[in-house]
Amino acid sequence: MNDYTDYLQDVFAQFGPVSARRMFGGYGLYHQGLMFALVADDVLYLKTDDGNVGDFEREELEPFLYHKGGREVRMSYYRAPEAIFEDQELAAEWAGGAFAAALRAKAGKR
């Protein structure tokens, strides 16, 4: 882990234990063994689906995008709101929504 992912453990303290695993030049953030967020270039993105993406869109937060083979790829993660870094209760709410999206995605793969 790096300093930023260590810091995120404090941000999500009320949500519960969070671990980070290195992946593709960034990190995946996990809770109870399930990835609910990712970190790219020290920017936090939370998992989204139809159940919570509207919350991110209302806040005008940007989706996580990367380039592959000359095209832009959009993933089901959106930038976390800045307010969560100052409010652990709010961070727990947003993380809970992202974790719920990750649970729904996992259930859909069965």
Side-chain angles (χ1 to χ4, degrees):
M1 296 203 313
N2 67 15
D3 290 341
Y4 186 69
T5 56
D6 287 343
Y7 164 67
L8 291 175
Q9 290 186 16
D10 293 334
V11 169
F12 293 122
Q14 285 191 19
F15 174 62
V18 171
S19 62
R21 294 185 202 152
R22 198 119 170 82
M23 57 178 281
F24 310 113
Y27 294 87
L29 286 185
Y30 293 80
H31 176 70
Q32 298 179 355
L34 191 59
M35 187 170 147
F36 75 99
L38 65 86
V39 174
D41 298 321
D42 286 346
V43 176
L44 175 65
Y45 297 88
L46 298 172
K47 178 79 173 149
T48 62
D49 68 1
D50 290 342
N52 70 341
V53 73
D55 298 332
F56 293 85
E57 291 171 342
R58 277 188 291 284
E59 296 288 328
E60 298 181 1
L61 298 164
E62 299 173 358
F64 177 72
L65 304 169
Y66 70 95
H67 292 88
K68 181 178 181 180
R71 65 183 181 96
E72 195 170 70
V73 178
R74 182 179 185 158
M75 293 183 62
S76 59
Y77 291 84
Y78 272 69
R79 189 177 189 131
E82 289 298 317
I84 72 168
F85 299 104
E86 302 297 324
D87 183 338
Q88 286 185 341
E89 189 173 314
L90 187 61
E93 289 175 24
W94 282 84
F99 186 70
L103 286 170
R104 288 188 293 269
K106 181 180 177 183
K109 291 181 180 176
R110 291 181 185 182

